[in-house]
Amino acid sequence: MAIREKHDGQLAGRMDVRVWLRLLSCSTIIEKRLRRRFADQYDTTLPRFDVLATLERHAGGVTMGELSRALLVSNGNVTALVRQLEGQGLVSTRSPDDDRRSSIVALTEQGRAHFAELAAAHHGWIKAMFAGVSGADLRTLYGLLATLKASIADEAIEDAEAAGAGGRERE
């Protein structure tokens, strides 16, 4: 079954926009499928999975601020997710001895076991969605996306430099 894309056939000369829209549609479809499968099969959410995945990479735990930065979400969003996961017994929080105002979040043993189950399912789902793409094509795509990522990073640096220069001109 072919998946329809936004503006099909209307952007014939705009390959850059067409590629961006294709990347966006693939990413959106994959994310929607993951969200639905996590909800249907494990009664959980993709953001909860992301929290568990981040904590799995930090065996000693991380501060709420570090977790928020790693997930690129606000402290309030992280706090709500952590409280939900704590209520399920999947994570624990504690205050470090040197700073009672902050909290360190870590996986519990139950959380590690639950994450292992979720991660195995996640890997299987991703593998199935990419099954129609050869290993060689995946490696090529990965390399091309690295080139795109570098181009985006260069653009971000230029934006930051322009904003900095613009700020100096106004002084």
Side-chain angles (χ1 to χ4, degrees), residues 49-71:
F49 173 79
D50 289 341
V51 169
L52 296 174
T54 301
L55 294 176
E56 198 274 333
R57 290 189 294 274
H58 298 90
V62 295
T63 66
M64 293 287 269
E66 290 168 333
L67 185 57
S68 176
R69 284 187 294 281
L71 296 170

Side-chain angles (χ1 to χ4, degrees), residues 85-142:
L85 293 168
E86 193 172 28
Q88 294 176 301
L90 302 176
V91 303
S92 64
T93 58
R94 63 179 168 80
S95 294
D97 294 334
D98 59 339
D99 183 4
R100 296 279 179 205
R101 294 172 296 156
S102 66
S103 295
I104 296 177
V105 186
L107 286 176
T108 62
E109 285 307 312
Q110 180 184 348
R112 284 190 195 293
H114 182 64
F115 175 72
E117 184 180 359
L118 294 177
H122 180 269
H123 290 308
W125 298 331
I126 296 293
K127 184 176 182 176
M129 284 186 261
F130 282 78
V133 184
S134 72
D137 283 347
L138 283 174
R139 286 186 291 282
T140 299
L141 180 58
Y142 186 75

Side-chain angles (χ1 to χ4, degrees), residues 16 143-159:
D16 52 355
L144 292 170
L145 291 172
T147 302
L148 175 60
K149 187 175 179 182
S151 177
I152 293 166
D154 291 345
E155 183 76 14
I157 291 168
E158 290 175 16
D159 287 348

Side-chain angles (χ1 to χ4, degrees), residues 35-52:
R35 285 180 185 278
R36 186 179 64 246
R37 290 172 184 178
F38 275 131
D40 292 350
Q41 296 177 33
Y42 294 96
D43 192 29
T44 195
T45 65
L46 190 54
R48 289 181 196 162
F49 173 79
D50 289 341
V51 169
L52 296 174

